[in-house]
Amino acid sequence: NVDLTKMTTTFETDAAETCTLPNGTSGQIKSFAMVTDNGDMVMTVTNPGWAASAKTITFSDIGDGCMLQFIGSKWYVIGNNGCTIES
């Protein structure tokens, strides 16, 4: 699971990898960035605000990044740079 105690999470992949973003606390902001690319990072988002069930955000290249905010009971994308967001 993604560490919710830090505002920023960076990804350094050794191969194709996965992680899960659990529910946050209301108002929480999390940013993510890929800094080393030896395979895609596919993050499953629990309670995304853009879909009815858990969906994914894929980080494919160095510099891919996004910012999410937990509002009420859902994560919402408030910024995206190069990530693929499954809807």
Side-chain angles (χ1 to χ4, degrees):
N1 279 351
V2 171
D3 183 355
L4 294 177
T5 64
K6 298 176 184 171
M7 185 174 176
T8 301
T9 297
T10 58
F11 299 120
E12 299 179 20
T13 58
D14 293 323
E17 298 182 33
T18 62
C19 64
T20 300
L21 176 62
N23 286 330
T25 57
S26 191
Q28 182 174 12
I29 295 175
K30 277 289 295 176
S31 61
F32 302 91
M34 178 172 265
V35 296
T36 302
D37 178 16
N38 291 304
D40 292 354
M41 171 59 77
V42 178
M43 180 172 66
T44 300
V45 179
T46 304
N47 293 324
W50 64 92
S53 60
K55 295 296 181 185
T56 61
I57 299 175
T58 302
F59 301 78
S60 301
D61 299 304
I62 293 172
D64 283 1
C66 67
M67 184 175 286
L68 286 80
Q69 185 168 17
F70 197 76
I71 301 171
S73 63
K74 297 187 180 293
W75 285 107
Y76 291 89
V77 177
I78 58 174
N80 179 26
N81 181 55
C83 298
T84 301
I85 299 172
E86 180 187 344
S87 56

